Amino acid sequence: MATKTYREALNEALREEMYRDPNVFIIGQDVGKFEGAYRVTQGLLAEFGPKRVKDAPISEMAIAGAGIGAAMAGLRPVVEFMTINFTLVAIDQIVNNAAKIRYMFGGQVSVPMVIRTPGGGGQQLTAQHSQNLENWYANTPGLKVVAPVTPADAKGLLKAAIRDPDPVFFLENLALYNTRGEVPDEEYEISIGTADIKREGTDISLIAHSRMVNVALQAAQRLQDEEGVSAEVVDIRSLRPLDTETIVNSVKKTNHAVTVEEGWTTFGVGGEMAALLADQAFDYLDAPVKRVGGEEVPMPYSKPLERAVIPSVDKVVSAAMEVLA
Amino acid sequence: MKQHMDYYRQMLRIRRCEEQIGWLFSRGLTMGTAHLSIGQEASAVGVMAATRPDDYAVSTHRGHGHLIAKGADPAMMLAEICGRATGFCRGKGGSQHIAVRELNFLGTNGITGGGLPVATGAALYAKTRKTGQVVLSFFGDGASNQGTFHESLNMAAAWKLPIVYVCENNGYAMFTPTCDVTSVVDISVRGAAYGIPGVKVDGMDLLAVREAAQLAILRARTGHGPTLLEVKTYRFCGHSKSDNGTKYRSREEIAEWEKRDPLRTWRARLIEEGVSEAEIEQLEADVELEMAEATRFALDSPYAEYEALEGVYADESARRYLPGFFNSSRDAAMAVEVSA
Ligand SMILES: Cc1ncc(C[n+]2csc(CCOP(=O)(O)OP(=O)(O)O)c2C)c(N)n1
Ligand SMILES: [Mg+2]
């Protein structure tokens, strides 16, 4: 195994899938000549040419729609949106078309399309550029939503997403692109719909996705070092479909749970986890589930204000101690 | 002559202020992002020179020039960009989200094309209330490929709204040359699709911009509806603080445009018109000092520390009647009527 960045892992997955299947193509703003606003598509235009790597105008609605139509007709588009915030311009196409076309049309056509986009805040990019909206998409039947945190998961899940017969919303994170991790050398794929235990523990389950898995891992270490608490970190990894079994089994073992998400908790991922646990692990819970998430405000700009709003290791540790109290 | 000196002062204030912004970022004295309009100053100043103070303006991610040209205090703007409590938005907005209530400046906007519909709404207000105000809606060439551009122009044309859509065409949308992804060479021809005038003007020529803006504004103010005004311009710097603008543009191309630097040509013009070198140097020194002081004000100001969770909704006291955020004094009068 070699150590690679999250960005490199994504780039490899794209390159390998483009070699494997000539129907796979990339469309998005600055994905070609500039090689990606965050350099994920580096080298691909040179390697595959402008038919397979298409620079698009600033027309998110049309970009999403073009992906959908091309997918219905038989291509395998990988649509890149510069950030998740700009998917809002395209959300009608994603929710009203991509998600519904297979079902609505009685199974005659499908939309094998991937939407790749980074979410998240913490870079002082302010209210319109720091959002976490994956729960909006995870709320929508017909879409699949994955949110890998490690380079290995990113590569394996992107391959699975590209091969999937249905539209997959593939969430990345601005703060993850430069993070490193081991990536298998051999060909592999990670099934959509599988969660992953990122750290084993016995006292409490910290349930998170995307970048917040790393925050949960840091919190788990602190809990171990400072409080002698053994925390298990459950990486949801796939928001829809959800691997309920792995999540529920973890809590059956630890009897305590804290959920961690970067976005707003109201109507969010943690709420869904709490409902799942109430439904399937009620008798195993020794305390109510606690949710940690972003404060319920548009992201403020200045560093102190932003810091006050974003979930932190501190907040996860204190929530865990409250649950265990 | 005084007017021509004023134009120079305004353009120079924008340039020097944005140089301060670049410096603040390069030194890590502030974080996040900002988009400079260095090279595009004649557009902001030329258009604003044709406006009335109570006209509305709606801007983009590249909005510092529009703000200063409309009269915003650079010190408060720099404070906002440094995230300080003394900034226009108390440090909550940053460069991409600055509004100035007293100036009827309805905000810079981080979403490409996000401002056009809002500007259209302000024009609907002005028309409904017959205030005589005109709206200046600034946006880039890239934004003219968004649905919001087309929807807004159609709506404003259909309702004959008092608005001027000012497309600052600098040839690039981030790192993509506009010509690679746009159906037309001149954005102005798109006006024809909505039955409104589409006017193209040299954005390096302040007087040409002012004249074109005057006509468009007159048309809007006299009830004849919107104009699409395309200002051909160029940014000398990178798209944002994250690039220097040379990876996707040739040095020759940049140098070619720099020859037409609106500040340099305007300065030469002043000399030709008989202004003395000493007068100009005095003005330049004044601006230099103003921006140095503005920067010091920003950096010396405190952060707002404890109000992260405040301000999402109106205060309880404002619930009964919330005066229009940016409205004219007519509104205040109406508010009195309503509450009486
Ligand atoms: C909906 C949306 N898509 C993409 C972006 C990223 N983005 C920021 S500025 C920009 C380019 C805008 O180009 P243009 O309208 O020509 O304005 P300029 O930057 O040249 O002033 C892009 C694509 C965004 N902010 N919003
Ligand atoms: Mg542009």
Side-chain angles (χ1 to χ4, degrees):
Chain A
M1 287 216 271
T3 302
K4 290 180 179 139
T5 62
Y6 192 92
R7 168 189 292 112
E8 286 161 352
L10 291 170
N11 183 267
E12 272 184 11
L14 290 169
R15 176 177 287 106
E16 288 171 21
E17 288 306 292
M18 289 177 83
Y19 272 115
R20 187 189 56 75
D21 181 353
N23 288 319
V24 175
F25 77 103
I26 296 172
I27 178 172
Q29 291 157 14
D30 289 312
V31 293
K33 277 191 195 166
F34 199 75
E35 309 191 301
Y38 299 102
R39 291 293 194 283
V40 173
T41 52
Q42 190 141 32
L44 299 181
L45 174 66
E47 214 162 322
F48 296 99
K51 265 196 190 156
R52 311 257 331 257
V53 184
K54 290 199 84 61
D55 275 325
I58 309 183
S59 312
E60 281 83 3
M61 183 72 93
I63 293 170
I68 293 166
M72 289 170 78
L75 294 178
R76 293 262 167 177
V78 178
V79 175
E80 174 178 311
F81 289 111
M82 211 170 278
T83 74
I84 196 169
N85 309 285
F86 313 146
T87 70
L88 293 183
V89 178
I91 198 167
D92 172 63
Q93 288 293 321
I94 299 169
V95 173
N96 269 327
N97 285 341
K100 298 180 172 49
I101 276 171
R102 173 188 294 282
Y103 183 87
M104 208 161 59
F105 294 156
Q108 300 175 81
V109 276
S110 60
V111 181
M113 170 173 84
V114 178
I115 293 171
R116 285 185 40 240
T117 195
Q123 331 266 321
Q124 282 192 260
L125 293 177
T126 322
Q128 295 178 331
H129 284 74
S130 305
Q131 299 176 93
N132 303 277
L133 306 167
E134 58 273 19
N135 57 318
W136 293 27
Y137 296 106
N139 179 247
T140 306
L143 298 178
K144 296 182 179 180
V145 180
V146 295
V149 66
T150 64
D153 285 356
K155 181 170 180 187
L157 274 170
L158 184 52
K159 291 195 149 213
I162 291 172
R163 295 170 191 182
D164 199 276
D166 289 307
V168 179
F169 190 92
F170 189 96
L171 181 75
E172 301 164 12
N173 188 291
L174 292 180
L176 287 178
Y177 286 129
N178 288 330
T179 57
R180 302 185 149 271
E182 300 261 290
V183 177
D185 297 320
E186 69 281 1
E187 161 66 34
Y188 71 103
E189 195 185 309
I190 291 173
S191 306
I192 294 172
T194 59
D196 188 41
I197 305 297
K198 287 288 192 284
R199 174 183 172 126
E200 305 240 3
T202 52
D203 300 337
I204 186 166
S205 300
L206 307 179
I207 307 170
H209 69 281
S210 193
R211 184 173 80 82
M212 284 300 120
V213 173
N214 287 341
V215 170
L217 284 167
Q218 286 169 25
Q221 191 59 47
R222 281 248 314 260
L223 285 164
Q224 187 73 62
D225 296 346
E226 291 169 20
E227 312 285 350
V229 166
S230 162
E232 176 149 301
V233 175
V234 184
D235 176 4
I236 304 169
R237 207 163 61 176
S238 172
L239 298 180
R240 181 187 275 268
L242 191 61
D243 179 357
T244 56
E245 200 182 315
T246 302
I247 298 162
V248 168
N249 283 345
S250 171
V251 176
K252 281 184 176 172
K253 182 175 75 175
T254 64
N255 312 114
H256 300 89
V258 166
T259 68
V260 192
E261 66 202 292
E262 197 175 332
W264 302 301
T265 50
T266 303
F267 298 98
V269 176
E272 185 62 31
M273 296 301 117
L276 170 70
L277 297 174
D279 190 33
Q280 297 188 22
F282 187 75
D283 294 333
Y284 295 84
L285 282 171
D286 287 349
V289 177
K290 269 225 167 296
R291 292 172 294 168
V292 175
E295 298 292 346
E296 309 259 332
V297 299
M299 187 65 72
Y301 167 66
S302 80
K303 194 81 233 163
L305 295 181
E306 187 184 56
R307 204 176 286 138
V309 164
I310 287 184
S312 61
V313 174
D314 280 350
K315 288 181 191 171
V316 178
V317 169
S318 28
M321 293 315 292
E322 248 179 86
V323 167
L324 288 166
Chain B
M1 194 52 58
K2 164 149 187 331
Q3 188 184 50
H4 284 193
M5 282 290 270
D6 281 347
Y7 293 160
Y8 184 60
R9 181 190 301 277
Q10 284 297 67
M11 287 200 290
L12 192 66
R13 289 173 80 233
I14 295 170
R15 175 136 333 161
R16 293 283 174 269
C17 184
E18 288 204 315
E19 284 167 356
Q20 292 291 328
I21 296 168
W23 178 81
L24 287 165
F25 276 97
S26 70
R27 288 300 173 89
L29 293 170
T30 191
M31 307 275 276
T33 196
H35 308 77
L36 307 185
S37 63
I38 289 177
Q40 305 187 183
E41 296 91 344
S43 173
V45 175
V47 170
M48 288 307 179
T51 60
R52 234 166 61 179
D54 67 335
D55 287 339
Y56 290 101
V58 177
S59 178
T60 66
H61 57 290
R62 204 177 300 289
H64 311 134
H66 306 140
L67 277 158
I68 292 179
K70 188 125 177 58
D73 177 358
M76 287 177 76
M77 191 176 88
L78 289 172
E80 184 58 40
I81 291 167
C82 292
R84 306 308 164 110
T86 51
F88 283 117
C89 312
R90 301 193 55 74
K92 282 179 170 168
S95 164
Q96 291 200 85
H97 314 92
I98 301 181
V100 188
R101 174 186 179 139
E102 313 77 65
L103 297 176
N104 283 348
F105 195 100
L106 292 152
T108 55
N109 199 308
I111 300 299
T112 306
L116 286 103
V118 175
T120 307
L124 180 61
Y125 160 83
K127 173 146 184 156
T128 307
R129 293 280 179 82
K130 298 191 174 70
T131 64
Q133 292 159 292
V134 168
V135 182
L136 284 308
S137 174
F138 291 94
F139 57 98
D141 44 280
S144 79
N145 289 325
Q146 285 285 33
T148 51
F149 164 85
H150 297 274
E151 295 176 28
S152 298
L153 262 67
N154 176 64
M155 187 182 276
W159 295 343
K160 282 207 182 332
L161 300 182
I163 182 165
V164 181
Y165 294 99
V166 183
C167 179
E168 297 186 313
N169 185 349
N170 58 12
Y172 292 82
M174 266 177 101
F175 318 119
T176 297
T178 306
C179 56
D180 284 6
V181 293
T182 308
S183 60
V184 293
V185 176
D186 296 327
I187 305 299
S188 53
V189 305
R190 290 181 166 172
Y194 306 100
I196 62 171
V199 179
K200 174 173 78 166
V201 65
D202 177 3
M204 295 301 178
D205 180 346
L206 189 149
L207 290 182
V209 173
R210 188 189 65 178
E211 200 173 309
Q214 275 167 342
L215 269 176
I217 289 169
L218 180 69
R219 196 181 132 80
R221 220 181 298 282
T222 51
H224 295 91
T227 298
L228 172 59
L229 176 60
E230 178 184 14
V231 181
K232 298 276 194 189
T233 183
Y234 199 79
R235 60 169 157 80
F236 296 160
C237 48
H239 165 74
S240 69
K241 55 113 201 168
S242 65
D243 74 292
N244 68 7
T246 52
K247 187 183 165 187
Y248 46 93
R249 309 187 303 184
S250 70
R251 294 199 185 268
E252 295 77 58
E253 178 185 302
I254 298 171
E256 210 41 53
W257 278 93
E258 275 173 349
K259 282 188 202 151
R260 309 195 49 232
D261 183 339
L263 270 98
R264 186 134 32 88
T265 50
W266 194 259
R267 191 183 197 283
R269 186 197 175 99
L270 290 176
I271 299 280
E272 262 173 44
E273 287 174 354
V275 183
S276 72
E277 185 70 33
E279 270 177 282
I280 295 180
E281 277 170 15
Q282 182 58 51
L283 180 156
E284 288 167 345
D286 290 349
V287 170
E288 208 79 49
L289 182 67
E290 180 194 4
M291 294 311 154
E293 281 175 352
T295 305
R296 181 152 347 106
F297 170 79
L299 290 175
D300 288 350
S301 294
Y303 288 104
E305 305 228 22
Y306 306 107
E307 52 187 73
L309 307 188
E310 293 164 14
V312 181
Y313 300 103
D315 292 342
E316 209 42 58
S317 59
R319 266 226 179 119
R320 208 162 61 88
Y321 178 83
L322 185 66
F325 190 63
F326 295 97
N327 298 347
S328 63
S329 52
R330 290 174 70 101
D331 253 27
M334 288 241 342
V336 175
E337 274 168 41
V338 169
S339 54

